[in-house]
Amino acid sequence: MTSSHNQAGRTYAIEFGGAMVAYAVVLIIAITVLNANPHGAWRPFVAVAPVIPAIFGVLAFVRFLRRMDELQRRIQLEALGLSFAATAILTFAYGFLEFVGFPAVNFVWVFPVMIMIWGLGLAVAARRYA
Amino acid sequence: MRNKLHVLRAERGWSQAELADHLGVSRQTINALETGKYDPSLPLAFRISRLFQQPIEAIFQDDESGR
């Protein structure tokens, strides 16, 4: 018997996986094009092109969140809340450290930090209900 | 919240996964309900009540019921 819950997970895996594959492909193409063409007013548009498939990945997650059952949605909320707070504090603190000479870190690293803490938060939140 | 969900499930010979399928939730939710670590929303409580054909108060007892 295929539950709606399992079906939601499968749909998410397909949609999100597809978005990530598209992201990787667009990223490789963008980097290749930018390296081959060091000048041009169009370069910023190519540079941000990988964001478009990433947006589809986010939309896939939002759809998954809506299909989740109530406990799993609560676990996600707790994990996302933890990630939001921890990422805010970490990036804020590191911003102060940059004032005293720590190396500047590109914004692109904020999202992976957020994702890592979200993953940790999921494990912590799920254990509370296990 | 205390409940007799696992008793009702055992009476029907259902696994947690099977009960989860009947209610349209995950097995994780059934486990959390049975161990009292999670209280169902009102719509879910009514679905449980309809499935087992018992009133909600007969299945779930909150600490203030005094019974």
Side-chain angles (χ1 to χ4, degrees), chain A residues 1-6 69-72 74-75 126-130, chain B residues 21 24-29 31-32 35 37-41 44 47:
Chain A
M1 191 180 337
T2 304
S3 69
S4 61
H5 155 72
N6 290 334
D69 81 4
E70 53 191 66
L71 174 58
Q72 292 175 325
R74 177 183 286 194
I75 288 171
R127 280 194 74 175
R128 287 187 350 108
Y129 298 102
Chain B
D21 279 346
V25 297
S26 64
R27 193 204 62 79
Q28 182 185 32
T29 300
N31 187 58
T35 55
K37 290 186 177 169
Y38 176 70
D39 296 331
S41 67
L44 180 55
R47 288 210 301 278

mmCIF file of all heavy atoms in Angstrom, chain A residues 1-6 69-72 74-75 126-130, chain B residues 21 24-29 31-32 35 37-41 44 47:
data_model
loop_
_atom_site.group_PDB
_atom_site.id
_atom_site.type_symbol
_atom_site.label_atom_id
_atom_site.label_comp_id
_atom_site.label_asym_id
_atom_site.label_seq_id
_atom_site.Cartn_x
_atom_site.Cartn_y
_atom_site.Cartn_z
ATOM 1 N N MET A 1 0.854 -1.200 0.000
ATOM 2 C CA MET A 1 0.000 0.000 0.000
ATOM 3 C C MET A 1 0.881 1.239 0.000
ATOM 4 O O MET A 1 1.750 1.388 0.836
ATOM 5 C CB MET A 1 -0.843 -0.085 1.295
ATOM 6 C CG MET A 1 -1.959 0.906 1.341
ATOM 7 S SD MET A 1 -2.976 0.836 2.850
ATOM 8 C CE MET A 1 -2.761 -0.778 3.511
ATOM 9 N N THR A 2 0.714 2.104 -0.962
ATOM 10 C CA THR A 2 1.530 3.317 -1.025
ATOM 11 C C THR A 2 0.810 4.428 -0.278
ATOM 12 O O THR A 2 -0.255 4.857 -0.678
ATOM 13 C CB THR A 2 1.731 3.741 -2.487
ATOM 14 O OG1 THR A 2 2.307 2.656 -3.195
ATOM 15 C CG2 THR A 2 2.637 4.945 -2.570
ATOM 16 N N SER A 3 1.381 4.867 0.828
ATOM 17 C CA SER A 3 0.726 5.922 1.586
ATOM 18 C C SER A 3 0.992 7.260 0.902
ATOM 19 O O SER A 3 1.957 7.420 0.161
ATOM 20 C CB SER A 3 1.250 5.948 3.011
ATOM 21 O OG SER A 3 2.589 6.399 2.995
ATOM 22 N N SER A 4 0.136 8.206 1.217
ATOM 23 C CA SER A 4 0.327 9.546 0.652
ATOM 24 C C SER A 4 1.654 10.124 1.127
ATOM 25 O O SER A 4 2.319 10.879 0.433
ATOM 26 C CB SER A 4 -0.840 10.456 1.038
ATOM 27 O OG SER A 4 -0.905 10.567 2.445
ATOM 28 N N HIS A 5 2.047 9.722 2.336
ATOM 29 C CA HIS A 5 3.309 10.199 2.902
ATOM 30 C C HIS A 5 4.479 9.720 2.067
ATOM 31 O O HIS A 5 5.373 10.500 1.710
ATOM 32 C CB HIS A 5 3.411 9.712 4.347
ATOM 33 C CG HIS A 5 4.803 9.590 4.839
ATOM 34 N ND1 HIS A 5 5.595 10.687 5.114
ATOM 35 C CD2 HIS A 5 5.582 8.526 5.087
ATOM 36 C CE1 HIS A 5 6.764 10.280 5.512
ATOM 37 N NE2 HIS A 5 6.790 8.988 5.516
ATOM 38 N N ASN A 6 4.513 8.429 1.734
ATOM 39 C CA ASN A 6 5.605 7.891 0.926
ATOM 40 C C ASN A 6 5.607 8.514 -0.467
ATOM 41 O O ASN A 6 6.669 8.801 -1.026
ATOM 42 C CB ASN A 6 5.482 6.369 0.811
ATOM 43 C CG ASN A 6 5.778 5.678 2.119
ATOM 44 O OD1 ASN A 6 6.503 6.217 2.947
ATOM 45 N ND2 ASN A 6 5.215 4.512 2.321
ATOM 46 N N ASP A 69 3.018 15.193 6.793
ATOM 47 C CA ASP A 69 2.034 15.098 7.859
ATOM 48 C C ASP A 69 2.411 16.070 8.973
ATOM 49 O O ASP A 69 3.487 16.668 8.966
ATOM 50 C CB ASP A 69 1.857 13.652 8.329
ATOM 51 C CG ASP A 69 2.917 13.166 9.298
ATOM 52 O OD1 ASP A 69 3.787 13.948 9.705
ATOM 53 O OD2 ASP A 69 2.860 11.977 9.656
ATOM 54 N N GLU A 70 1.503 16.239 9.931
ATOM 55 C CA GLU A 70 1.617 17.334 10.888
ATOM 56 C C GLU A 70 2.861 17.240 11.767
ATOM 57 O O GLU A 70 3.485 18.271 12.072
ATOM 58 C CB GLU A 70 0.347 17.408 11.729
ATOM 59 C CG GLU A 70 -0.039 16.079 12.389
ATOM 60 C CD GLU A 70 -1.445 16.149 12.985
ATOM 61 O OE1 GLU A 70 -2.411 16.272 12.215
ATOM 62 O OE2 GLU A 70 -1.555 16.093 14.215
ATOM 63 N N LEU A 71 3.238 16.036 12.183
ATOM 64 C CA LEU A 71 4.416 15.914 13.045
ATOM 65 C C LEU A 71 5.676 16.273 12.264
ATOM 66 O O LEU A 71 6.553 16.982 12.757
ATOM 67 C CB LEU A 71 4.537 14.496 13.613
ATOM 68 C CG LEU A 71 5.817 14.223 14.409
ATOM 69 C CD1 LEU A 71 5.948 15.191 15.589
ATOM 70 C CD2 LEU A 71 5.849 12.788 14.936
ATOM 71 N N GLN A 72 5.775 15.789 11.039
ATOM 72 C CA GLN A 72 6.955 16.070 10.231
ATOM 73 C C GLN A 72 7.062 17.541 9.899
ATOM 74 O O GLN A 72 8.159 18.089 9.849
ATOM 75 C CB GLN A 72 6.925 15.241 8.948
ATOM 76 C CG GLN A 72 7.090 13.780 9.253
ATOM 77 C CD GLN A 72 6.940 12.919 8.040
ATOM 78 O OE1 GLN A 72 6.144 13.220 7.176
ATOM 79 N NE2 GLN A 72 7.709 11.864 7.983
ATOM 80 N N ARG A 74 6.031 19.881 11.911
ATOM 81 C CA ARG A 74 6.492 20.499 13.158
ATOM 82 C C ARG A 74 8.001 20.301 13.317
ATOM 83 O O ARG A 74 8.719 21.210 13.713
ATOM 84 C CB ARG A 74 5.780 19.888 14.363
ATOM 85 C CG ARG A 74 6.311 20.463 15.678
ATOM 86 C CD ARG A 74 5.691 19.835 16.871
ATOM 87 N NE ARG A 74 4.321 20.287 17.074
ATOM 88 C CZ ARG A 74 3.653 20.090 18.204
ATOM 89 N NH1 ARG A 74 4.219 19.470 19.210
ATOM 90 N NH2 ARG A 74 2.420 20.487 18.320
ATOM 91 N N ILE A 75 8.490 19.091 12.998
ATOM 92 C CA ILE A 75 9.930 18.814 13.086
ATOM 93 C C ILE A 75 10.696 19.739 12.147
ATOM 94 O O ILE A 75 11.743 20.292 12.502
ATOM 95 C CB ILE A 75 10.211 17.323 12.774
ATOM 96 C CG1 ILE A 75 9.736 16.455 13.948
ATOM 97 C CG2 ILE A 75 11.694 17.080 12.511
ATOM 98 C CD1 ILE A 75 9.766 14.965 13.663
ATOM 99 N N ALA A 126 13.876 15.350 15.448
ATOM 100 C CA ALA A 126 13.251 14.033 15.244
ATOM 101 C C ALA A 126 13.437 13.154 16.470
ATOM 102 O O ALA A 126 12.546 12.378 16.835
ATOM 103 C CB ALA A 126 13.848 13.363 14.010
ATOM 104 N N ARG A 127 14.592 13.294 17.136
ATOM 105 C CA ARG A 127 14.853 12.477 18.325
ATOM 106 C C ARG A 127 13.889 12.785 19.457
ATOM 107 O O ARG A 127 13.560 11.918 20.264
ATOM 108 C CB ARG A 127 16.282 12.717 18.808
ATOM 109 C CG ARG A 127 17.329 11.951 18.013
ATOM 110 C CD ARG A 127 18.649 11.938 18.722
ATOM 111 N NE ARG A 127 18.602 11.025 19.869
ATOM 112 C CZ ARG A 127 19.649 10.742 20.620
ATOM 113 N NH1 ARG A 127 20.805 11.289 20.365
ATOM 114 N NH2 ARG A 127 19.549 9.913 21.625
ATOM 115 N N ARG A 128 13.418 14.038 19.513
ATOM 116 C CA ARG A 128 12.488 14.421 20.584
ATOM 117 C C ARG A 128 11.190 13.640 20.492
ATOM 118 O O ARG A 128 10.506 13.431 21.501
ATOM 119 C CB ARG A 128 12.173 15.911 20.506
ATOM 120 C CG ARG A 128 13.329 16.760 20.958
ATOM 121 C CD ARG A 128 13.070 18.245 21.089
ATOM 122 N NE ARG A 128 11.874 18.801 20.599
ATOM 123 C CZ ARG A 128 10.864 19.250 21.363
ATOM 124 N NH1 ARG A 128 10.931 19.136 22.654
ATOM 125 N NH2 ARG A 128 9.801 19.798 20.810
ATOM 126 N N TYR A 129 10.834 13.214 19.295
ATOM 127 C CA TYR A 129 9.542 12.539 19.110
ATOM 128 C C TYR A 129 9.704 11.036 18.883
ATOM 129 O O TYR A 129 8.709 10.340 18.682
ATOM 130 C CB TYR A 129 8.806 13.160 17.927
ATOM 131 C CG TYR A 129 8.498 14.624 18.152
ATOM 132 C CD1 TYR A 129 9.269 15.611 17.550
ATOM 133 C CD2 TYR A 129 7.451 15.019 18.985
ATOM 134 C CE1 TYR A 129 9.006 16.956 17.768
ATOM 135 C CE2 TYR A 129 7.188 16.354 19.204
ATOM 136 C CZ TYR A 129 7.969 17.320 18.591
ATOM 137 O OH TYR A 129 7.699 18.649 18.814
ATOM 138 N N ALA A 130 10.934 10.555 18.906
ATOM 139 C CA ALA A 130 11.148 9.127 18.640
ATOM 140 C C ALA A 130 10.888 8.282 19.876
ATOM 141 O O ALA A 130 11.044 8.766 20.996
ATOM 142 C CB ALA A 130 12.562 8.896 18.143
ATOM 143 N N ASP B 21 -0.943 4.213 7.409
ATOM 144 C CA ASP B 21 -1.584 4.251 6.093
ATOM 145 C C ASP B 21 -3.073 4.554 6.209
ATOM 146 O O ASP B 21 -3.619 5.338 5.443
ATOM 147 C CB ASP B 21 -1.402 2.909 5.376
ATOM 148 C CG ASP B 21 -0.034 2.807 4.719
ATOM 149 O OD1 ASP B 21 0.637 3.844 4.601
ATOM 150 O OD2 ASP B 21 0.360 1.695 4.338
ATOM 151 N N GLY B 24 -3.363 8.191 6.992
ATOM 152 C CA GLY B 24 -2.722 9.136 6.071
ATOM 153 C C GLY B 24 -1.595 9.924 6.710
ATOM 154 O O GLY B 24 -1.367 11.091 6.366
ATOM 155 N N VAL B 25 -0.915 9.321 7.680
ATOM 156 C CA VAL B 25 0.234 9.964 8.318
ATOM 157 C C VAL B 25 1.429 9.027 8.239
ATOM 158 O O VAL B 25 1.323 7.907 7.753
ATOM 159 C CB VAL B 25 -0.044 10.331 9.802
ATOM 160 C CG1 VAL B 25 -1.161 11.354 9.906
ATOM 161 C CG2 VAL B 25 -0.352 9.095 10.631
ATOM 162 N N SER B 26 2.583 9.491 8.741
ATOM 163 C CA SER B 26 3.785 8.667 8.710
ATOM 164 C C SER B 26 3.813 7.714 9.903
ATOM 165 O O SER B 26 3.146 7.952 10.915
ATOM 166 C CB SER B 26 5.028 9.559 8.736
ATOM 167 O OG SER B 26 5.076 10.272 9.951
ATOM 168 N N ARG B 27 4.605 6.666 9.768
ATOM 169 C CA ARG B 27 4.760 5.716 10.885
ATOM 170 C C ARG B 27 5.388 6.440 12.081
ATOM 171 O O ARG B 27 5.093 6.150 13.231
ATOM 172 C CB ARG B 27 5.644 4.544 10.451
ATOM 173 C CG ARG B 27 5.618 3.363 11.417
ATOM 174 C CD ARG B 27 6.870 2.518 11.291
ATOM 175 N NE ARG B 27 8.071 3.277 11.631
ATOM 176 C CZ ARG B 27 8.461 3.524 12.872
ATOM 177 N NH1 ARG B 27 7.770 3.091 13.905
ATOM 178 N NH2 ARG B 27 9.557 4.221 13.090
ATOM 179 N N GLN B 28 6.262 7.385 11.796
ATOM 180 C CA GLN B 28 6.899 8.192 12.845
ATOM 181 C C GLN B 28 5.841 8.896 13.707
ATOM 182 O O GLN B 28 5.975 8.979 14.930
ATOM 183 C CB GLN B 28 7.799 9.221 12.157
ATOM 184 C CG GLN B 28 8.591 10.121 13.060
ATOM 185 C CD GLN B 28 9.349 11.173 12.257
ATOM 186 O OE1 GLN B 28 8.904 11.625 11.209
ATOM 187 N NE2 GLN B 28 10.512 11.565 12.738
ATOM 188 N N THR B 29 4.795 9.385 13.057
ATOM 189 C CA THR B 29 3.725 10.069 13.790
ATOM 190 C C THR B 29 2.975 9.092 14.684
ATOM 191 O O THR B 29 2.650 9.406 15.837
ATOM 192 C CB THR B 29 2.759 10.748 12.801
ATOM 193 O OG1 THR B 29 3.487 11.695 12.019
ATOM 194 C CG2 THR B 29 1.634 11.455 13.526
ATOM 195 N N ASN B 31 4.099 6.354 16.015
ATOM 196 C CA ASN B 31 4.979 6.020 17.129
ATOM 197 C C ASN B 31 4.992 7.144 18.170
ATOM 198 O O ASN B 31 4.915 6.889 19.378
ATOM 199 C CB ASN B 31 6.396 5.755 16.618
ATOM 200 C CG ASN B 31 7.299 5.228 17.721
ATOM 201 O OD1 ASN B 31 7.012 4.197 18.322
ATOM 202 N ND2 ASN B 31 8.364 5.939 18.016
ATOM 203 N N ALA B 32 5.092 8.375 17.702
ATOM 204 C CA ALA B 32 5.115 9.518 18.618
ATOM 205 C C ALA B 32 3.787 9.670 19.362
ATOM 206 O O ALA B 32 3.761 10.038 20.539
ATOM 207 C CB ALA B 32 5.437 10.798 17.853
ATOM 208 N N THR B 35 3.586 6.793 22.095
ATOM 209 C CA THR B 35 4.480 7.007 23.237
ATOM 210 C C THR B 35 4.143 8.296 23.977
ATOM 211 O O THR B 35 4.806 8.634 24.953
ATOM 212 C CB THR B 35 5.949 7.068 22.771
ATOM 213 O OG1 THR B 35 6.066 8.077 21.761
ATOM 214 C CG2 THR B 35 6.394 5.734 22.205
ATOM 215 N N LYS B 37 4.492 11.313 23.019
ATOM 216 C CA LYS B 37 5.425 12.412 22.789
ATOM 217 C C LYS B 37 4.836 13.458 21.847
ATOM 218 O O LYS B 37 5.413 14.527 21.663
ATOM 219 C CB LYS B 37 6.734 11.871 22.205
ATOM 220 C CG LYS B 37 7.508 11.068 23.224
ATOM 221 C CD LYS B 37 8.866 10.642 22.715
ATOM 222 C CE LYS B 37 9.596 9.917 23.845
ATOM 223 N NZ LYS B 37 10.811 9.256 23.377
ATOM 224 N N TYR B 38 3.707 13.145 21.249
ATOM 225 C CA TYR B 38 3.073 14.085 20.342
ATOM 226 C C TYR B 38 1.562 13.944 20.473
ATOM 227 O O TYR B 38 1.049 12.829 20.537
ATOM 228 C CB TYR B 38 3.514 13.807 18.899
ATOM 229 C CG TYR B 38 2.829 14.676 17.879
ATOM 230 C CD1 TYR B 38 3.112 16.042 17.806
ATOM 231 C CD2 TYR B 38 1.903 14.149 16.986
ATOM 232 C CE1 TYR B 38 2.476 16.850 16.876
ATOM 233 C CE2 TYR B 38 1.267 14.953 16.067
ATOM 234 C CZ TYR B 38 1.556 16.297 16.009
ATOM 235 O OH TYR B 38 0.936 17.104 15.090
ATOM 236 N N ASP B 39 0.882 15.078 20.566
ATOM 237 C CA ASP B 39 -0.582 15.066 20.613
ATOM 238 C C ASP B 39 -1.124 15.414 19.240
ATOM 239 O O ASP B 39 -0.643 16.342 18.597
ATOM 240 C CB ASP B 39 -1.087 16.085 21.633
ATOM 241 C CG ASP B 39 -0.662 15.743 23.055
ATOM 242 O OD1 ASP B 39 -0.482 14.540 23.336
ATOM 243 O OD2 ASP B 39 -0.504 16.672 23.861
ATOM 244 N N PRO B 40 -2.155 14.688 18.778
ATOM 245 C CA PRO B 40 -2.665 14.927 17.428
ATOM 246 C C PRO B 40 -3.405 16.254 17.325
ATOM 247 O O PRO B 40 -3.928 16.768 18.312
ATOM 248 C CB PRO B 40 -3.628 13.751 17.209
ATOM 249 C CG PRO B 40 -4.113 13.424 18.579
ATOM 250 C CD PRO B 40 -2.959 13.673 19.491
ATOM 251 N N SER B 41 -3.452 16.774 16.111
ATOM 252 C CA SER B 41 -4.300 17.933 15.853
ATOM 253 C C SER B 41 -5.752 17.468 15.935
ATOM 254 O O SER B 41 -6.036 16.265 15.935
ATOM 255 C CB SER B 41 -4.016 18.484 14.454
ATOM 256 O OG SER B 41 -4.439 17.542 13.478
ATOM 257 N N LEU B 44 -6.862 15.239 12.999
ATOM 258 C CA LEU B 44 -6.300 13.892 13.113
ATOM 259 C C LEU B 44 -6.980 13.126 14.235
ATOM 260 O O LEU B 44 -7.263 11.934 14.108
ATOM 261 C CB LEU B 44 -4.782 13.943 13.348
ATOM 262 C CG LEU B 44 -4.071 12.580 13.487
ATOM 263 C CD1 LEU B 44 -4.364 11.689 12.269
ATOM 264 C CD2 LEU B 44 -2.579 12.768 13.669
ATOM 265 N N ARG B 47 -10.126 11.822 12.914
ATOM 266 C CA ARG B 47 -9.922 10.695 11.987
ATOM 267 C C ARG B 47 -9.665 9.418 12.783
ATOM 268 O O ARG B 47 -10.165 8.338 12.427
ATOM 269 C CB ARG B 47 -8.742 10.966 11.051
ATOM 270 C CG ARG B 47 -9.032 12.015 9.999
ATOM 271 C CD ARG B 47 -8.234 11.783 8.714
ATOM 272 N NE ARG B 47 -6.795 11.786 8.872
ATOM 273 C CZ ARG B 47 -6.038 12.873 8.922
ATOM 274 N NH1 ARG B 47 -6.594 14.062 8.881
ATOM 275 N NH2 ARG B 47 -4.721 12.778 9.035
#
